[in-house]
């Protein structure tokens, strides 16, 4: 790949995505878990377009959708969520 193509790829890496970023989380069903999962968005002044949560016994499944995040920001938020106590799995997806 040429240096011009690499520079173009780097320039587009931080552009807002027209798609929706979706964070699929599996975590321990804890009373403060939803708050802890939404906190990274609030700290950035972002409001998710949708939040779905469902308890399955001692587990909690949460899907958080937000429009217009850059790939870099989505990856950073996903890494931060993986560090939260009680979180088992975080998948970061783009919905078209």
């Amino acid at each position: 790949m040429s240096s011009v193509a690499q520079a173009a790829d780097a320039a587009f890496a931080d552009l807002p995505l027209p798609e929706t970023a979706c964070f699929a989380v599996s975590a321990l069903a804890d009373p403060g878990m939803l708050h802890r999962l939404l906190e990274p968005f609030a700290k950035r002044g972002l409001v998710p377009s949708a939040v779905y949560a469902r308890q399955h016994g001692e587990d909690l499944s949460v899907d958080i959708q937000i429009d217009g995040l850059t790939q870099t920001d989505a990856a950073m938020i996903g890494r931060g969520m993986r560090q939260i106590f009680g979180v088992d799995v975080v998948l970061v997806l783009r919905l078209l």
Side-chain angles (χ1 to χ4, degrees), residues 23-47:
F23 299 83
V25 181
S26 177
L28 181 66
D30 179 85
M33 186 57 71
L34 282 175
H35 166 75
R36 291 193 296 270
L37 291 172
L38 293 172
E39 187 174 12
F41 300 99
K43 285 182 175 180
R44 291 170 174 79
L46 302 171
V47 177

Side-chain angles (χ1 to χ4, degrees), residues 9-20:
D9 286 346
F12 287 111
D14 285 333
L15 289 178
L17 299 172
E19 299 91 4
T20 299

Side-chain angles (χ1 to χ4, degrees), residues 11-20 67-73 94:
F12 287 111
D14 285 333
L15 289 178
L17 299 172
E19 299 91 4
T20 299
D67 298 324
L69 277 184
T70 64
Q71 292 179 9
T72 303
D73 287 342
R94 289 191 317 177

